[in-house]
Amino acid sequence: RGLGRQGKGIQEARFVGVPGSPGAAVGRAVVMLPPADLEVVPDKTVDDIDAELKLFQNALEGVREDMRKLSAKLATQLRPEERALFDVYLMMLEDAALGGEVIEVIKTGQWAQGALRQVVGEHVNRFELMDDDYLRERASDVKDLGRRLLAYLQEARSQSLVYADNTILVSEELTPAMLGEVPEGKLAGLVSVLGSGNSHVAILARAMGIPTVMGLVDLPYSKVDGIEMIVDGYKGEVFTNPSEVLRKQYSDVVEEERQLAQGLDALRELPCVTPDGHRMPLWVNTGLLADVARAQQRGAEGVGLYRTEVPFMINQRFPSEKEQLAIYREQLAAFHPLPVTMRTLDIGGDKALSYFPIKEENPFLGWRGIRVTLDHPEIFLVQTRAMLKASEGLNNLRILLPMISGIHELEEALHLIHRAWGEVRDEGTDVPMPPVGVMVEIPAAVYQTRELARQVDFLSVGSNDLTQYLLAVDRNNPRVADLYDYLHPAVLQALNTVVRDAHGEGKPVSICGEMAGDPAAAILLMAMGFDSLSMNATNLPKVKWMLRQVNMSKAKELLVEALSHDNPQVIHSSLQLALKNLGLARMIGPGANKSL
Ligand code: PEP
Ligand code: MG
């Protein structure tokens, strides 16, 4: 596929995945590995062999030292013959054994990590073929040793890793934590072999405005480190070793977008109001600290969804109440007096905490969101206490509950929030009870909108999960990505029902899924009667631009038409045609969003 050894092919090659975040980028690939996963270490030739040898010697020394310490620490708990295992490890590190073999491979020009993978792999294969149970078990010792050595090598590497301007970060499975590794301003594009446009890392990428391609299953990612790459986040394509012509073409797109974004900046101070006078409040979704500044630059009128799991994911352990308080205070203060809707911890599914592993066959139908925190009320109480304390004197907090599937969960959560409120007041913090809302993102909640609405102050539709659950399409699976469609008639019907029933109970309803940030879909949502739209900061100006051109009366016509079709494709094309006829195609062309 145009990639020679080490990917230094001269030929242009095209790889097709799915769109993750719109935009185009031209840059150089940096392959990032998950910490100490030996199997995915790429091959790489190096010129400075001595430097690699030195790195490896240091890693050997580090592991030896760890082994000695571990052995000494366990001296009182293990019998001498059990402690002999550590001697075996130390022996394996010797020049005459594994250590020596790695050095030989490095001398052929392979980098230390690649040489280690090769040698460990050979040893493991040999052990695993053995009949003897004891010897077969040794395979895991070798693997363990390999991981320990790799951890040292990667530590050394990440310290010396230089990210050039226009870095394109490539990984087998991008994680939210990886996004934080590249210094601000250097990251131009993202490429992930696994995952789809609805994965959380893609949502973060859109929030950061970084062109992203997901589900690039054919990319030999371990071979692309250091090569030139084009990321087309609109079409979901990546080009390696692009020709001069193609590079020029994409550089022009990048420049055009920069100018478009600049033009939209002018909208910042203008209200989001249709020509016939309908006000549509535009709120923002946040998670990363960087979102705060971006949201303010773009004139957001509040935070409709603060994903509290993001700071949890970046951490190495559960943040304490005090640490959470500081993080939440920062959010609340930054937007004050505008309201900030903080969602309680929504982990599970594809949002894992390294320090709280959940292993399930069906994670999206498993222990997720409110289910986890109701089973661990201590986590829920600490979090809500921190939120309440953080809001003292600001009083702009709203609390939002994720993954509610029925009344009992809501009642239990409300009970805990009241308890937390009582506690912090007893401790002398003077805060009013904040408005509490539920997310409607499970089909069961759609049919219970009225019952739920009676017990809360507001509702917020999570169209990302609602689409996934209504259509039974895994939001992370690239194979079914084309079936995932928030303009599907069933989704539109459900949304319409939720708005009608929420308003029937006199409660406001907003929507905070990615759909709200799609300028064309936003027209339909406004027509349905949503009281606010909450979206990533990147798309906010585009949505504002669109709604400032479309009369509410026209939006209602478009909605009636969309609801009359039974075929998602027809809904897409008729909406597209209507906008084209209104002269509004600019915001829905390549770049605006993936829905059209
Ligand atoms: C949603 O499901 O639409 C939502 C906003 O939450 P998340 O994407 O974090 O699951
Ligand atoms: Mg959700």
Side-chain angles (χ1 to χ4, degrees):
R1 308 280 311 264
L3 283 170
R5 209 171 111 71
Q6 312 306 332
K8 299 277 187 287
I10 354 81
Q11 235 179 316
E12 179 176 293
R14 172 169 162 263
F15 299 92
V16 181
V18 294
S21 168
V26 181
R28 227 166 248 291
V30 174
V31 177
M32 187 173 278
L33 312 168
D37 184 354
L38 202 52
E39 276 164 35
V40 303
V41 166
D43 281 329
K44 200 151 117 171
T45 36
V46 285
D47 297 329
D48 193 348
I49 291 176
D50 284 342
E52 288 302 305
L53 286 173
K54 192 150 186 309
L55 281 176
F56 186 64
Q57 291 294 359
N58 289 343
L60 280 176
E61 210 23 71
V63 175
R64 278 197 190 106
E65 188 53 31
D66 289 347
M67 287 299 136
R68 283 188 211 108
K69 277 195 201 137
L70 219 65
S71 172
K73 224 159 90 192
L74 294 172
T76 53
Q77 297 166 43
L78 292 181
R79 290 196 302 275
E81 62 270 30
E82 288 164 341
R83 272 205 288 149
L85 171 69
F86 294 104
D87 297 333
V88 175
Y89 269 37
L90 286 171
M91 265 155 57
M92 287 200 283
L93 297 174
E94 292 299 313
D95 283 358
L98 193 138
E101 288 176 43
V102 176
I103 289 172
E104 287 313 308
V105 180
I106 295 176
K107 284 182 181 161
T108 68
Q110 178 70 264
W111 69 323
Q113 297 190 28
L116 181 67
R117 187 209 64 224
Q118 195 178 318
V119 171
V120 168
E122 286 162 10
H123 279 255
V124 167
N125 286 343
R126 224 174 298 138
F127 278 123
E128 281 178 346
L129 286 175
M130 290 182 180
D131 279 338
D132 186 275
D133 279 348
Y134 174 81
L135 287 175
R136 247 197 330 268
E137 268 305 298
R138 300 283 67 71
S140 67
D141 292 345
V142 179
K143 274 191 214 160
D144 184 36
L145 206 55
R147 266 194 299 267
R148 287 171 187 275
L149 286 165
L150 184 64
Y152 270 98
L153 289 173
Q154 291 190 334
E155 200 174 288
R157 178 174 174 252
S158 68
Q159 279 159 4
S160 62
L161 243 181
V162 214
Y163 295 99
D165 289 344
N166 295 319
T167 286
I168 309 237
L169 194 61
V170 179
S171 186
E172 183 185 25
E173 184 159 28
L174 279 178
T175 65
M178 286 179 181
L179 301 191
E181 303 260 341
V182 186
E184 251 209 281
K186 302 275 189 194
L187 188 59
L190 293 167
V191 172
S192 184
V193 172
L194 301 175
S196 83
N198 311 296
S199 304
H200 280 95
V201 73
I203 291 178
L204 289 179
R206 288 197 285 276
M208 293 162 76
I210 309 227
T212 302
V213 176
M214 304 288 293
L216 212 63
V217 287
D218 294 329
L219 182 78
Y221 69 96
S222 60
K223 297 212 167 116
V224 301
D225 193 71
I227 72 169
E228 207 179 24
M229 208 179 238
I230 288 173
V231 174
D232 183 335
Y234 303 123
K235 294 208 203 105
E237 290 178 354
V238 162
F239 297 88
T240 52
N241 297 312
S243 63
E244 192 49 51
V245 180
L246 198 69
R247 189 185 313 126
K248 168 86 177 63
Q249 208 175 318
Y250 272 93
S251 301
D252 289 349
V253 175
V254 173
E255 176 54 24
E256 240 168 63
E257 302 208 314
R258 208 186 49 75
Q259 287 178 9
L260 177 65
Q262 252 176 8
L264 288 173
D265 279 351
L267 288 178
R268 185 190 149 180
E269 304 295 339
L270 299 174
C272 182
V273 56
T274 62
D276 55 352
H278 182 82
R279 269 286 281 131
M280 187 76 234
L282 301 186
W283 293 24
V284 76
N285 296 347
T286 59
L288 302 165
L289 194 59
D291 292 337
V292 174
R294 291 167 52 80
Q296 285 167 340
Q297 282 158 14
R298 291 180 160 78
E301 296 172 66
V303 176
L305 172 66
Y306 170 53
R307 289 186 166 95
T308 59
E309 54 278 2
V310 176
F312 277 73
M313 288 193 283
I314 291 167
N315 231 339
Q316 299 308 314
R317 54 177 173 76
F318 274 109
S320 68
E321 182 176 316
K322 228 170 119 192
E323 287 166 333
Q324 290 186 48
L325 193 160
I327 298 169
Y328 303 155
R329 179 93 189 163
E330 208 163 0
Q331 277 280 320
L332 292 164
F335 287 97
H336 185 263
L338 300 174
V340 174
T341 312
M342 297 201 166
R343 179 170 72 183
T344 63
L345 191 63
D346 185 21
I347 51 169
D350 64 340
K351 288 180 285 195
L353 302 180
S354 57
Y355 47 91
F356 190 75
I358 302 173
K359 274 247 169 295
E360 291 175 317
E361 283 283 324
N362 269 315
F364 276 105
L365 299 181
W367 210 39
R368 265 199 86 183
I370 201 79
R371 301 170 182 181
V372 177
T373 48
L374 289 183
D375 285 345
H376 279 281
E378 74 283 3
I379 298 176
F380 191 87
L381 283 169
V382 164
Q383 181 172 42
T384 42
R385 283 168 50 93
M387 288 176 179
L388 289 163
K389 285 187 176 175
S391 73
E392 190 177 24
L394 299 171
N395 302 339
N396 57 340
L397 168 69
R398 304 173 2 129
I399 295 180
L400 181 60
L401 303 166
M403 290 291 291
I404 294 285
S405 68
I407 291 298
H408 59 286
E409 286 166 340
L410 171 60
E411 285 174 348
E412 232 179 288
L414 285 172
H415 173 78
L416 288 172
I417 294 173
H418 274 99
R419 186 171 137 193
W421 184 53
E423 284 175 9
V424 301
R425 284 177 21 124
D426 285 348
E427 290 165 28
T429 309
D430 179 25
V431 285
M433 178 71 188
V436 178
V438 278
M439 287 195 74
V440 178
E441 54 182 343
I442 295 182
V446 172
Y447 295 102
Q448 292 188 287
T449 301
R450 288 198 92 112
E451 290 82 352
L452 294 168
R454 268 176 226 137
Q455 302 213 41
V456 293
D457 303 296
F458 65 95
L459 295 96
S460 184
V461 175
S463 54
N464 304 337
D465 278 314
L466 189 58
T467 304
Q468 137 163 296
Y469 293 129
L470 272 178
L471 304 182
V473 175
D474 180 346
R475 61 194 270 187
N476 281 312
N477 185 343
R479 186 175 291 167
V480 290
D482 56 336
L483 294 175
Y484 183 99
D485 186 355
Y486 47 66
L487 291 183
H488 188 288
V491 178
L492 295 181
Q493 292 291 352
L495 296 171
N496 217 24
T497 303
V498 172
V499 177
R500 184 198 64 206
D501 289 355
H503 287 171
E505 294 295 326
K507 298 293 162 66
V509 55
S510 82
I511 174 165
C512 59
E514 292 299 296
M515 178 183 189
D518 171 346
I523 297 173
L524 302 182
L525 297 171
M526 174 176 78
M528 286 179 194
F530 276 98
D531 298 286
S532 60
L533 307 177
S534 192
M535 66 203 68
N536 65 62
T538 307
N539 281 22
L540 196 144
K542 296 178 187 168
V543 170
K544 191 191 274 188
W545 182 89
M546 182 65 96
L547 297 185
R548 283 176 57 86
Q549 322 270 334
V550 180
N551 279 323
M552 181 62 157
S553 54
K554 184 72 196 173
K556 285 192 168 149
E557 267 172 45
L558 292 176
L559 177 63
V560 169
E561 155 141 39
L563 288 173
S564 74
H565 296 305
D566 55 11
N567 180 327
Q569 278 322 313
V570 178
I571 297 179
H572 281 267
S573 40
S574 73
L575 191 52
Q576 190 169 26
L577 184 67
L579 293 176
K580 220 171 172 175
N581 289 341
L582 289 171
L584 299 176
R586 179 170 158 232
M587 240 2 101
I588 55 167
N593 218 290
K594 61 173 183 165
S595 88
L596 290 166

